[in-house]
Amino acid sequence: MRTPRISESRCRVLLAAFALAAALDLASLAVGFPGGHVIAKPLLMPLLAAWAAARGAPRLLVAALLCGWGGDVLLLSDADPAFLAGMTCFAAGHVCYLALFTRNGSPRARTALLAPGYLVALVTTVALLWPDLPADLRVPVAGYSTLLVAMACTAAVRLGPLAGLGGALFLLSDTLIATGVADWPQPPRPDLWIMLTYLAAQFLLAAGTLRALEARPGPMATYGEVRSTTP
């Protein structure tokens, strides 16, 4: 089911609030101000979820974004149990995305060629990371990576380039996290690049899903909703 859609002005306000929180978070990471990150990060996914809901998003999309919020909050802690719990939240979000994309998207013949590439990327990345990961994280990381790659590939194959780019950026963001856990060399300010790619990923997944649903004839009318005309 889809959530009821509200006024365009409120949608713009929510999107602006998300953009402001994202700018504060990224600026805080760029200048090394952890307090700003702690304040801004928990606001990001609730604001994006509120914007998506205001646009009439399916409940699975809102649920996926709120699972991301749970992961974001848990990963503010450096404790190992919090890392595993955060990974579980993100995994639940990927399950929501997969269910959403499978129900609402249609396979695209050209993009289906991406599947072998994603499979190769999954196997190669896990194989390279495996020896350097802590022993208790190897299986969870491999399982999570499989779910993440399945989500990213399904987004591209069933919903098109916008959501597909979001899935690819999510994969990049989490790969940066995994290489950090494995103690691989990191770029300067790795948290900045992780959050930048993550925020872009979640926004593009949400926007790509909404655009794909708005382009389909029928479903809006089925739920008695007004069709969106915003990009």
Side-chain angles (χ1 to χ4, degrees):
M1 293 188 62
R2 297 171 62 88
T3 53
R5 192 167 174 278
I6 60 177
S7 70
E8 293 297 330
S9 60
R10 189 171 300 181
C11 291
R12 288 192 290 269
V13 168
L14 289 168
L15 185 58
F18 168 73
L20 181 62
L24 173 61
D25 187 61
L26 296 174
S28 298
L29 292 172
V31 301
F33 176 50
H37 178 60
V38 170
I39 292 171
K41 189 178 184 183
L43 300 175
L44 293 165
M45 289 306 106
L47 287 170
L48 187 59
W51 171 75
R55 292 278 305 272
R59 292 178 182 175
L60 279 171
L61 175 55
V62 176
L65 295 170
L66 293 180
C67 286
W69 169 74
D72 289 345
V73 172
L74 287 164
L75 291 186
L76 285 172
S77 169
D78 293 329
D80 288 343
F83 180 81
L84 286 170
M87 188 189 302
T88 301
C89 285
F90 284 118
H94 296 325
V95 170
C96 292
Y97 275 131
L98 277 168
L100 175 64
F101 300 157
T102 302
R103 292 180 187 180
N104 294 284
S106 301
R108 299 162 186 248
R110 292 181 181 177
T111 53
L113 298 174
L114 293 171
Y118 272 108
L119 179 59
V120 170
L122 170 65
V123 173
T124 302
T125 302
V126 171
L128 291 173
L129 286 170
W130 187 272
D132 298 323
L133 289 170
D136 59 335
L137 289 180
R138 288 171 179 168
V139 172
V141 167
Y144 175 83
S145 298
T146 301
L147 192 57
L148 171 60
V149 168
M151 181 280 292
C153 183
T154 305
V157 170
R158 301 189 73 93
L159 290 190
L162 196 62
L165 178 57
L169 287 173
F170 213 135
L171 181 58
L172 174 58
S173 179
D174 280 2
T175 299
L176 289 172
I177 294 175
T179 58
V181 173
D183 288 328
W184 285 17
Q186 298 292 295
R189 302 286 186 193
D191 289 347
L192 171 62
W193 300 111
I194 289 168
M195 283 303 298
L196 178 62
T197 50
Y198 168 70
L199 290 174
Q202 290 281 40
F203 174 75
L204 289 171
L205 284 168
T209 299
L210 291 169
R211 178 172 292 183
L213 292 177
E214 289 163 2
R216 291 176 58 193
M220 292 279 192
T222 300
Y223 295 105
E225 295 162 348
V226 178
R227 195 179 182 90
S228 171
T229 57
T230 58

